[in-house]
Every structure is written in C-alpha cells, then in structure tokens.
Amino acid sequence: MLKPEVSLWYNSKKSIIILLMEEYKTVRSNLKEILQILEQDARTTPQQIATMTGKSVAEVEAAIKKAEAEHLIVKYKTTINWQKAGEEQVWALIEVKVAPQRDVGFDAVAERIYRFPQARSVYLMSGTYDLAVLIAGKTMHEVADFVSMKLAPLEGVQGTTTHFLLRRYKDDGEILESGDTLHRQPLIL
C-alpha cells in the first residue's frame, strides 16, 4: 500500500497526464476540422474557417502555420480540366513489377520513379504489380518513350503494363464533366 503523500503525488501526476491527453485530443480534433475545410477548398480564408469552426482567427492561423511546418499540409492545389481549356494531355496509369531490395524493399525504386517530372503520382499497391504510376505527357509517343527509355530500364524494374486513360470524369474528388443533362424523348399527345 502506498503512503498517503506518494498516493497524492501519483494521483496528481495521473490527473495532469489525463488533462494533457484530453487537451491533445481537442487540439487534434480542431486541427482535423480545419484541415478538412482546406482540403475541400484551399482558398478558404482563416476568417471564414474561424466563422465555420467557432475558433478565433489567431487560433486558425496558428494551426495552419503549424500544419504547414509539420508537413501535414503538403501543397495547396487547384484541379483544372485541361481538356476543356483546350490543352490536350495524355494520361497513363503504369503498373510496375519491382524486385524488392534488401533493407529498403520497394522504397528505393519508388523514389527513383517519383523523382521523374512526368510521374504525377506513385503508389505502392497489392496485387500482381507492386507500384502504380500515374504520368502525364503531351502525346502518346512521349508517354511511350518515358516508359521504354526511362522507367522500364531502371534497376529493379521487372516489367510494366501501360494503360492509357481515355477520359477523366472525376479527379481528386471533383467531377470534371457533368452528365446531368437529361436526354428525353419529346412527348406527343
């Protein structure tokens, strides 16, 4: 059995830890709310976020600055429908079979791939292939050259399969072309 002064000390330390944990959960919850708002619209101002969350503008600005410093906010991004803007782009999804390397697995090959400017996204995935690489180019020939001259010859790459994207309907959660128009036959009475 603990002496009363030790028990008091232990209970007060335990209370402080519980309070700190609760405060941490509240801060994380507030930050998550701010991040979700920015993810939906990166142009939302700290003043608007403060109004939406009930926080002060200073709290919102501090949270955003901290999230940027911790690399929680990686980039502010705009989704553009380049086809509608008259700028044709060829997109391809390339599945890459990789031989994992000792002590680093797939990471070393993935890093070499994501350093290419053509690689828009690189993902480790399960299934027959190990990596999925989304690339963009001006022509199919440019994409094919990238795959055959830069990607396929990389050490550790065992094979690739290229899928050309024919049309983008939705990108990063945003519908690019809405098919909401109803095609009805006229009714003649």
Side-chain angles (χ1 to χ4, degrees), residues 119-154:
R120 302 296 289 267
S121 300
V122 179
Y123 305 100
L124 177 64
M125 60 185 201
S126 63
T128 306
Y129 289 86
D130 305 304
L131 298 174
V133 181
L134 184 64
I135 70 165
K138 293 191 184 296
T139 65
M140 288 179 81
H141 186 70
E142 183 181 306
V143 171
D145 281 350
F146 170 76
V147 173
S148 64
M149 300 172 112
K150 294 189 177 182
L151 186 60
L154 282 176

mmCIF file of all heavy atoms in Angstrom, residues 119-154:
data_model
loop_
_atom_site.group_PDB
_atom_site.id
_atom_site.type_symbol
_atom_site.label_atom_id
_atom_site.label_comp_id
_atom_site.label_asym_id
_atom_site.label_seq_id
_atom_site.Cartn_x
_atom_site.Cartn_y
_atom_site.Cartn_z
ATOM 1 N N ALA A 119 6.106 11.746 -63.611
ATOM 2 C CA ALA A 119 5.346 10.963 -62.626
ATOM 3 C C ALA A 119 4.512 11.909 -61.769
ATOM 4 O O ALA A 119 5.033 12.663 -60.973
ATOM 5 C CB ALA A 119 6.292 10.140 -61.767
ATOM 6 N N ARG A 120 3.207 11.877 -61.969
ATOM 7 C CA ARG A 120 2.301 12.742 -61.202
ATOM 8 C C ARG A 120 1.950 12.134 -59.855
ATOM 9 O O ARG A 120 1.776 12.832 -58.876
ATOM 10 C CB ARG A 120 1.018 12.990 -62.010
ATOM 11 C CG ARG A 120 1.257 13.634 -63.370
ATOM 12 C CD ARG A 120 1.850 15.042 -63.265
ATOM 13 N NE ARG A 120 0.923 16.002 -62.781
ATOM 14 C CZ ARG A 120 0.141 16.763 -63.524
ATOM 15 N NH1 ARG A 120 0.203 16.686 -64.831
ATOM 16 N NH2 ARG A 120 -0.695 17.610 -62.967
ATOM 17 N N SER A 121 1.837 10.809 -59.802
ATOM 18 C CA SER A 121 1.539 10.087 -58.560
ATOM 19 C C SER A 121 2.209 8.725 -58.626
ATOM 20 O O SER A 121 2.288 8.124 -59.691
ATOM 21 C CB SER A 121 0.034 9.883 -58.384
ATOM 22 O OG SER A 121 -0.646 11.111 -58.339
ATOM 23 N N VAL A 122 2.677 8.244 -57.475
ATOM 24 C CA VAL A 122 3.289 6.914 -57.383
ATOM 25 C C VAL A 122 2.748 6.252 -56.122
ATOM 26 O O VAL A 122 2.794 6.847 -55.039
ATOM 27 C CB VAL A 122 4.833 6.991 -57.333
ATOM 28 C CG1 VAL A 122 5.442 5.601 -57.217
ATOM 29 C CG2 VAL A 122 5.383 7.717 -58.554
ATOM 30 N N TYR A 123 2.224 5.048 -56.273
ATOM 31 C CA TYR A 123 1.607 4.332 -55.156
ATOM 32 C C TYR A 123 2.168 2.918 -55.057
ATOM 33 O O TYR A 123 2.350 2.250 -56.073
ATOM 34 C CB TYR A 123 0.091 4.193 -55.366
ATOM 35 C CG TYR A 123 -0.630 5.484 -55.611
ATOM 36 C CD1 TYR A 123 -0.982 5.882 -56.897
ATOM 37 C CD2 TYR A 123 -0.979 6.317 -54.554
ATOM 38 C CE1 TYR A 123 -1.656 7.070 -57.131
ATOM 39 C CE2 TYR A 123 -1.658 7.510 -54.785
ATOM 40 C CZ TYR A 123 -1.989 7.877 -56.064
ATOM 41 O OH TYR A 123 -2.668 9.049 -56.296
ATOM 42 N N LEU A 124 2.389 2.449 -53.825
ATOM 43 C CA LEU A 124 2.672 1.046 -53.574
ATOM 44 C C LEU A 124 1.315 0.368 -53.462
ATOM 45 O O LEU A 124 0.419 0.880 -52.796
ATOM 46 C CB LEU A 124 3.465 0.878 -52.277
ATOM 47 C CG LEU A 124 3.780 -0.562 -51.857
ATOM 48 C CD1 LEU A 124 4.680 -1.243 -52.871
ATOM 49 C CD2 LEU A 124 4.436 -0.562 -50.475
ATOM 50 N N MET A 125 1.152 -0.769 -54.139
ATOM 51 C CA MET A 125 -0.158 -1.424 -54.130
ATOM 52 C C MET A 125 -0.012 -2.925 -53.978
ATOM 53 O O MET A 125 1.069 -3.476 -54.161
ATOM 54 C CB MET A 125 -0.932 -1.080 -55.398
ATOM 55 C CG MET A 125 -0.265 -1.484 -56.683
ATOM 56 S SD MET A 125 -1.232 -0.873 -58.064
ATOM 57 C CE MET A 125 -0.662 -1.972 -59.340
ATOM 58 N N SER A 126 -1.104 -3.568 -53.662
ATOM 59 C CA SER A 126 -1.113 -5.022 -53.574
ATOM 60 C C SER A 126 -1.565 -5.575 -54.915
ATOM 61 O O SER A 126 -2.119 -4.855 -55.741
ATOM 62 C CB SER A 126 -2.059 -5.475 -52.465
ATOM 63 O OG SER A 126 -3.382 -5.086 -52.776
ATOM 64 N N GLY A 127 -1.317 -6.848 -55.119
ATOM 65 C CA GLY A 127 -1.754 -7.484 -56.360
ATOM 66 C C GLY A 127 -0.585 -7.950 -57.193
ATOM 67 O O GLY A 127 0.531 -8.118 -56.707
ATOM 68 N N THR A 128 -0.829 -8.142 -58.489
ATOM 69 C CA THR A 128 0.183 -8.660 -59.403
ATOM 70 C C THR A 128 1.347 -7.693 -59.560
ATOM 71 O O THR A 128 2.495 -8.101 -59.647
ATOM 72 C CB THR A 128 -0.457 -8.936 -60.787
ATOM 73 O OG1 THR A 128 -1.577 -9.797 -60.596
ATOM 74 C CG2 THR A 128 0.541 -9.590 -61.721
ATOM 75 N N TYR A 129 1.059 -6.406 -59.604
ATOM 76 C CA TYR A 129 2.099 -5.393 -59.743
ATOM 77 C C TYR A 129 2.309 -4.695 -58.404
ATOM 78 O O TYR A 129 1.426 -4.699 -57.552
ATOM 79 C CB TYR A 129 1.721 -4.388 -60.836
ATOM 80 C CG TYR A 129 1.819 -5.004 -62.207
ATOM 81 C CD1 TYR A 129 0.762 -5.716 -62.755
ATOM 82 C CD2 TYR A 129 2.988 -4.896 -62.956
ATOM 83 C CE1 TYR A 129 0.859 -6.306 -63.998
ATOM 84 C CE2 TYR A 129 3.096 -5.474 -64.203
ATOM 85 C CZ TYR A 129 2.034 -6.186 -64.724
ATOM 86 O OH TYR A 129 2.147 -6.768 -65.954
ATOM 87 N N ASP A 130 3.484 -4.109 -58.249
ATOM 88 C CA ASP A 130 3.858 -3.532 -56.956
ATOM 89 C C ASP A 130 3.624 -2.030 -56.871
ATOM 90 O O ASP A 130 3.265 -1.513 -55.826
ATOM 91 C CB ASP A 130 5.340 -3.822 -56.687
ATOM 92 C CG ASP A 130 5.627 -5.305 -56.765
ATOM 93 O OD1 ASP A 130 4.972 -6.066 -56.038
ATOM 94 O OD2 ASP A 130 6.487 -5.711 -57.576
ATOM 95 N N LEU A 131 3.856 -1.316 -57.965
ATOM 96 C CA LEU A 131 3.703 0.130 -57.978
ATOM 97 C C LEU A 131 2.712 0.539 -59.058
ATOM 98 O O LEU A 131 2.655 -0.078 -60.124
ATOM 99 C CB LEU A 131 5.043 0.828 -58.249
ATOM 100 C CG LEU A 131 6.164 0.609 -57.242
ATOM 101 C CD1 LEU A 131 7.458 1.258 -57.732
ATOM 102 C CD2 LEU A 131 5.792 1.165 -55.881
ATOM 103 N N ALA A 132 1.956 1.575 -58.789
ATOM 104 C CA ALA A 132 1.096 2.209 -59.789
ATOM 105 C C ALA A 132 1.655 3.611 -59.988
ATOM 106 O O ALA A 132 1.863 4.342 -59.019
ATOM 107 C CB ALA A 132 -0.351 2.265 -59.327
ATOM 108 N N VAL A 133 1.910 3.969 -61.239
ATOM 109 C CA VAL A 133 2.488 5.276 -61.553
ATOM 110 C C VAL A 133 1.542 5.984 -62.507
ATOM 111 O O VAL A 133 1.216 5.461 -63.579
ATOM 112 C CB VAL A 133 3.883 5.126 -62.214
ATOM 113 C CG1 VAL A 133 4.484 6.485 -62.516
ATOM 114 C CG2 VAL A 133 4.805 4.303 -61.331
ATOM 115 N N LEU A 134 1.089 7.168 -62.126
ATOM 116 C CA LEU A 134 0.235 7.986 -62.976
ATOM 117 C C LEU A 134 1.126 9.043 -63.612
ATOM 118 O O LEU A 134 1.799 9.794 -62.901
ATOM 119 C CB LEU A 134 -0.874 8.643 -62.161
ATOM 120 C CG LEU A 134 -1.897 9.458 -62.939
ATOM 121 C CD1 LEU A 134 -2.693 8.563 -63.882
ATOM 122 C CD2 LEU A 134 -2.829 10.175 -61.987
ATOM 123 N N ILE A 135 1.166 9.065 -64.950
ATOM 124 C CA ILE A 135 2.007 10.045 -65.629
ATOM 125 C C ILE A 135 1.183 10.831 -66.640
ATOM 126 O O ILE A 135 0.120 10.394 -67.079
ATOM 127 C CB ILE A 135 3.232 9.411 -66.318
ATOM 128 C CG1 ILE A 135 2.833 8.574 -67.527
ATOM 129 C CG2 ILE A 135 4.049 8.587 -65.358
ATOM 130 C CD1 ILE A 135 4.000 8.241 -68.415
ATOM 131 N N ALA A 136 1.702 12.001 -66.994
ATOM 132 C CA ALA A 136 1.052 12.847 -67.999
ATOM 133 C C ALA A 136 2.106 13.281 -69.002
ATOM 134 O O ALA A 136 3.255 13.540 -68.649
ATOM 135 C CB ALA A 136 0.413 14.067 -67.343
ATOM 136 N N GLY A 137 1.685 13.360 -70.261
ATOM 137 C CA GLY A 137 2.567 13.827 -71.327
ATOM 138 C C GLY A 137 1.737 14.531 -72.385
ATOM 139 O O GLY A 137 0.508 14.554 -72.318
ATOM 140 N N LYS A 138 2.408 15.095 -73.380
ATOM 141 C CA LYS A 138 1.693 15.805 -74.444
ATOM 142 C C LYS A 138 1.162 14.858 -75.515
ATOM 143 O O LYS A 138 0.137 15.122 -76.126
ATOM 144 C CB LYS A 138 2.610 16.853 -75.072
ATOM 145 C CG LYS A 138 2.960 17.977 -74.109
ATOM 146 C CD LYS A 138 3.650 19.116 -74.837
ATOM 147 C CE LYS A 138 4.083 20.196 -73.891
ATOM 148 N NZ LYS A 138 3.025 20.874 -73.216
ATOM 149 N N THR A 139 1.860 13.735 -75.747
ATOM 150 C CA THR A 139 1.435 12.781 -76.775
ATOM 151 C C THR A 139 1.595 11.358 -76.250
ATOM 152 O O THR A 139 2.340 11.123 -75.289
ATOM 153 C CB THR A 139 2.290 12.931 -78.060
ATOM 154 O OG1 THR A 139 3.645 12.565 -77.746
ATOM 155 C CG2 THR A 139 2.238 14.339 -78.621
ATOM 156 N N MET A 140 0.956 10.414 -76.930
ATOM 157 C CA MET A 140 1.116 9.003 -76.574
ATOM 158 C C MET A 140 2.569 8.580 -76.796
ATOM 159 O O MET A 140 3.113 7.782 -76.035
ATOM 160 C CB MET A 140 0.166 8.135 -77.395
ATOM 161 C CG MET A 140 -1.279 8.271 -76.980
ATOM 162 S SD MET A 140 -2.395 7.277 -77.972
ATOM 163 C CE MET A 140 -2.209 5.697 -77.208
ATOM 164 N N HIS A 141 3.172 9.118 -77.842
ATOM 165 C CA HIS A 141 4.565 8.784 -78.140
ATOM 166 C C HIS A 141 5.484 9.238 -76.999
ATOM 167 O O HIS A 141 6.405 8.511 -76.612
ATOM 168 C CB HIS A 141 4.987 9.432 -79.466
ATOM 169 C CG HIS A 141 6.350 9.038 -79.919
ATOM 170 N ND1 HIS A 141 6.642 7.777 -80.367
ATOM 171 C CD2 HIS A 141 7.508 9.746 -79.952
ATOM 172 C CE1 HIS A 141 7.920 7.710 -80.676
ATOM 173 N NE2 HIS A 141 8.477 8.909 -80.433
ATOM 174 N N GLU A 142 5.228 10.419 -76.454
ATOM 175 C CA GLU A 142 6.030 10.924 -75.333
ATOM 176 C C GLU A 142 5.892 10.011 -74.116
ATOM 177 O O GLU A 142 6.882 9.702 -73.452
ATOM 178 C CB GLU A 142 5.591 12.347 -74.987
ATOM 179 C CG GLU A 142 6.402 13.008 -73.891
ATOM 180 C CD GLU A 142 5.906 14.414 -73.580
ATOM 181 O OE1 GLU A 142 5.805 15.240 -74.499
ATOM 182 O OE2 GLU A 142 5.610 14.666 -72.387
ATOM 183 N N VAL A 143 4.686 9.556 -73.837
ATOM 184 C CA VAL A 143 4.450 8.643 -72.714
ATOM 185 C C VAL A 143 5.150 7.310 -72.972
ATOM 186 O O VAL A 143 5.824 6.767 -72.082
ATOM 187 C CB VAL A 143 2.940 8.438 -72.470
ATOM 188 C CG1 VAL A 143 2.687 7.330 -71.457
ATOM 189 C CG2 VAL A 143 2.291 9.743 -72.017
ATOM 190 N N ALA A 144 5.008 6.784 -74.188
ATOM 191 C CA ALA A 144 5.637 5.507 -74.543
ATOM 192 C C ALA A 144 7.161 5.606 -74.425
ATOM 193 O O ALA A 144 7.813 4.672 -73.937
ATOM 194 C CB ALA A 144 5.240 5.096 -75.954
ATOM 195 N N ASP A 145 7.738 6.728 -74.855
ATOM 196 C CA ASP A 145 9.191 6.930 -74.728
ATOM 197 C C ASP A 145 9.618 6.943 -73.267
ATOM 198 O O ASP A 145 10.645 6.370 -72.902
ATOM 199 C CB ASP A 145 9.625 8.236 -75.400
ATOM 200 C CG ASP A 145 9.741 8.108 -76.907
ATOM 201 O OD1 ASP A 145 9.678 6.965 -77.419
ATOM 202 O OD2 ASP A 145 9.888 9.155 -77.573
ATOM 203 N N PHE A 146 8.832 7.604 -72.420
ATOM 204 C CA PHE A 146 9.164 7.639 -70.998
ATOM 205 C C PHE A 146 9.193 6.227 -70.424
ATOM 206 O O PHE A 146 10.130 5.855 -69.709
ATOM 207 C CB PHE A 146 8.152 8.502 -70.231
ATOM 208 C CG PHE A 146 8.299 8.381 -68.740
ATOM 209 C CD1 PHE A 146 9.333 9.023 -68.078
ATOM 210 C CD2 PHE A 146 7.410 7.605 -68.001
ATOM 211 C CE1 PHE A 146 9.477 8.895 -66.694
ATOM 212 C CE2 PHE A 146 7.556 7.481 -66.627
ATOM 213 C CZ PHE A 146 8.592 8.127 -65.970
ATOM 214 N N VAL A 147 8.179 5.427 -70.762
ATOM 215 C CA VAL A 147 8.101 4.063 -70.218
ATOM 216 C C VAL A 147 9.255 3.222 -70.736
ATOM 217 O O VAL A 147 9.949 2.552 -69.961
ATOM 218 C CB VAL A 147 6.741 3.407 -70.557
ATOM 219 C CG1 VAL A 147 6.732 1.941 -70.142
ATOM 220 C CG2 VAL A 147 5.605 4.149 -69.884
ATOM 221 N N SER A 148 9.507 3.275 -72.050
ATOM 222 C CA SER A 148 10.508 2.385 -72.629
ATOM 223 C C SER A 148 11.947 2.840 -72.396
ATOM 224 O O SER A 148 12.843 2.012 -72.312
ATOM 225 C CB SER A 148 10.262 2.210 -74.129
ATOM 226 O OG SER A 148 10.435 3.447 -74.798
ATOM 227 N N MET A 149 12.176 4.136 -72.284
ATOM 228 C CA MET A 149 13.557 4.613 -72.169
ATOM 229 C C MET A 149 13.980 4.988 -70.748
ATOM 230 O O MET A 149 15.168 4.999 -70.451
ATOM 231 C CB MET A 149 13.763 5.806 -73.097
ATOM 232 C CG MET A 149 13.509 5.459 -74.552
ATOM 233 S SD MET A 149 13.527 6.923 -75.562
ATOM 234 C CE MET A 149 15.008 6.607 -76.493
ATOM 235 N N LYS A 150 13.026 5.310 -69.892
ATOM 236 C CA LYS A 150 13.389 5.737 -68.544
ATOM 237 C C LYS A 150 12.881 4.799 -67.459
ATOM 238 O O LYS A 150 13.611 4.466 -66.535
ATOM 239 C CB LYS A 150 12.881 7.159 -68.286
ATOM 240 C CG LYS A 150 13.575 8.178 -69.162
ATOM 241 C CD LYS A 150 13.235 9.573 -68.743
ATOM 242 C CE LYS A 150 14.022 10.540 -69.628
ATOM 243 N NZ LYS A 150 13.793 11.911 -69.275
ATOM 244 N N LEU A 151 11.627 4.381 -67.567
ATOM 245 C CA LEU A 151 11.026 3.605 -66.490
ATOM 246 C C LEU A 151 11.417 2.122 -66.549
ATOM 247 O O LEU A 151 11.964 1.585 -65.591
ATOM 248 C CB LEU A 151 9.503 3.758 -66.532
ATOM 249 C CG LEU A 151 8.711 3.128 -65.397
ATOM 250 C CD1 LEU A 151 9.135 3.722 -64.061
ATOM 251 C CD2 LEU A 151 7.227 3.342 -65.606
ATOM 252 N N ALA A 152 11.170 1.484 -67.664
ATOM 253 C CA ALA A 152 11.432 0.046 -67.790
ATOM 254 C C ALA A 152 12.906 -0.330 -67.564
ATOM 255 O O ALA A 152 13.175 -1.374 -66.960
ATOM 256 C CB ALA A 152 10.940 -0.459 -69.140
ATOM 257 N N PRO A 153 13.873 0.478 -68.017
ATOM 258 C CA PRO A 153 15.280 0.092 -67.813
ATOM 259 C C PRO A 153 15.814 0.292 -66.386
ATOM 260 O O PRO A 153 16.934 -0.109 -66.101
ATOM 261 C CB PRO A 153 16.067 1.009 -68.762
ATOM 262 C CG PRO A 153 15.085 1.621 -69.675
ATOM 263 C CD PRO A 153 13.777 1.597 -68.968
ATOM 264 N N LEU A 154 15.039 0.897 -65.498
ATOM 265 C CA LEU A 154 15.525 1.121 -64.139
ATOM 266 C C LEU A 154 15.891 -0.197 -63.466
ATOM 267 O O LEU A 154 15.181 -1.202 -63.604
ATOM 268 C CB LEU A 154 14.457 1.804 -63.283
ATOM 269 C CG LEU A 154 14.244 3.291 -63.464
ATOM 270 C CD1 LEU A 154 13.086 3.769 -62.593
ATOM 271 C CD2 LEU A 154 15.499 4.070 -63.129
#
